Amino acid sequence: MEFNLAYLYPELLNIYGDKGNILAIQQRCLWRGINLNIHKINPGDKINPDLYDFYFIGGGQDQQQLMIADELQTQKNALTEAADSNDAVFLAICGGYQLLGEYYKPANKDKVPGLEIMDTYTIAGNKRYIGNVTVNTEFSCNDIKTLVGFENHSGLTYLRGDTKPLGVVSTGNGNNAEDNTEGGVYKNVFGSYLHGSLLPKNPHFTDYLISLAGKRKYNDNFKLEALDDKIELFAHNRVINKKY
Ligand code: GLN
């Protein structure tokens, strides 16, 4: 078995080591004998929505988001088809997450149009939220229902319509430091403010995403054998127990 992952604009949107999310998916597939083929998508490349099982877009400062916004608009139809019709699995972090919505309004600048894949919008606040975050989530492949990560954003994201939160914040700020939500979920599209990178310390969420892709591509009998996650969960629990 194998999966194909489109890594969107790695040269521009990859701050705080967000590439670590792809490495976590790749390694947890490899440990089960599944190959993950990573295809970098750079400005000017044309996305074929029938090729990919996963899409990843990382975080970036306002400047990179502005640089990539027009290019992303050229991919809007393909990425919308991937999300809406093909049920591909998306993971978007921070700046990339913001660009999945209707728009991102940076401070003192015009709105940056988003992909409108997720019914959200983001407005830059006048405060930067930086720090460790712990979240209670339902999106897990086992009985561990927490996510941990690190946030660094001034954007305030608001969920609308059928967009569900990835989880409820127990430590930190999450989407907007007001409604206690963190991240957004729409079909198989997942957005989050959690850097870290997110997936290595949250193996149960990584396997949840891989299982979604496996059931979609192969069949509902697709199963991931359990791994020894002692080290990953040691790191996870240090954040939960605030030993950082
Ligand atoms: N520029 C956006 C913000 O500050 C996203 C930052 C990021 O990707 N860490 O909210």
Side-chain angles (χ1 to χ4, degrees), residues 13 15-16 18 58-65 93-98 104 106 122-125 128 150-157 193 195:
L13 292 174
I15 53 174
Y16 306 114
D18 286 336
Q61 302 298 353
D62 286 10
Q63 184 190 358
Q64 285 93 350
Q65 287 175 281
I93 303 295
C94 202
Y97 165 41
Q98 294 171 342
Y104 167 51
T122 300
I123 299 171
R128 180 155 285 274
F150 187 85
E151 65 185 332
N152 180 341
H153 58 102
S154 62
L156 305 172
T157 296
Y193 270 112
H195 297 286

Side-chain angles (χ1 to χ4, degrees), residues 2 8-9 29 61 71 154 164 174-176 194 232 236:
E2 64 175 11
L8 304 182
Y9 310 110
C29 282
Q61 302 298 353
E71 163 72 20
S154 62
K164 292 195 288 187
N175 280 327
N176 50 48
L194 301 187
E232 293 86 346
H236 180 93

Side-chain angles (χ1 to χ4, degrees), residues 146-166:
T146 48
L147 296 175
V148 298
F150 187 85
E151 65 185 332
N152 180 341
H153 58 102
S154 62
L156 305 172
T157 296
Y158 297 89
L159 310 183
R160 291 183 306 206
D162 52 5
T163 310
K164 292 195 288 187
L166 177 60

Side-chain angles (χ1 to χ4, degrees), residues 7 18 20 35 39-40 45 48 76 85 98-99 149 151-153 156 158 162 175 177 182 192 197 205-206 209 219 228:
Y7 184 4
D18 286 336
N35 281 328
H39 301 253
K40 290 184 177 181
D45 292 346
N48 174 351
K76 187 170 181 178
S85 316
Q98 294 171 342
L99 293 174
E151 65 185 332
N152 180 341
H153 58 102
L156 305 172
Y158 297 89
D162 52 5
N175 280 327
E182 152 47 28
S192 174
S197 43
F205 182 50
T206 312
L209 297 177
N219 61 52
D228 175 358

